[in-house]
Amino acid sequence: MEYELKEFFKPNNDLSSKDGIARAFRLLRYATGMNRKELSDYLHIPYNTMRDWEQGQRSMPPYVFELIFYRLLYEKKFINKTTEQDGKWNAKH
């Protein structure tokens, strides 16, 4: 399965639900090629908060997702594609 940046903003991505935000945030992290620890350090967000957002255990306000997205986009932290094979995510440049 491959994801590109345009996947985040498809009409069927529901950024108003906890599960929709969790899925979008996971995709966002995969698109950077960073693991959870690296991204939490980079964004200065506690690791447990990011874990809870990704697992849908805590709600992330949609505006926070958008701010994180635009920061990563502005600072050119996205790689071209991310693929999932055998349950593991691999970055493609």
Side-chain angles (χ1 to χ4, degrees):
M1 179 180 278
E2 291 189 352
Y3 295 99
E4 297 185 36
L5 288 182
K6 63 184 177 184
E7 296 289 319
F8 298 112
F9 295 102
K10 284 186 173 182
N12 63 349
N13 279 351
D14 181 13
L15 296 181
S16 63
S17 76
K18 195 186 309 186
D19 291 336
I21 286 278
R23 180 179 182 278
F25 192 60
R26 271 192 310 275
L27 292 175
L28 186 74
R29 182 173 61 80
Y30 297 151
T32 67
M34 293 184 210
N35 64 37
R36 196 177 289 148
K37 176 73 172 133
E38 291 167 336
L39 188 60
S40 71
D41 288 346
Y42 180 77
L43 295 172
H44 306 287
I45 296 173
Y47 177 87
N48 290 338
T49 299
M50 287 188 56
R51 182 200 61 219
D52 292 348
W53 285 343
E54 283 192 15
Q55 294 176 352
Q57 295 175 1
R58 181 185 291 186
S59 294
M60 173 196 289
Y63 74 89
V64 172
F65 175 85
E66 291 175 11
L67 288 170
I68 290 171
F69 176 84
Y70 287 115
R71 178 180 176 191
L72 294 171
L73 185 65
Y74 178 76
E75 295 177 0
K76 297 179 171 71
K77 294 299 178 183
F78 292 112
I79 56 178
N80 291 336
K81 291 184 181 177
T82 304
T83 60
E84 179 184 18
Q85 293 176 334
D86 301 324
K88 297 193 182 206
W89 293 91
N90 302 303
K92 284 184 163 182
H93 295 278

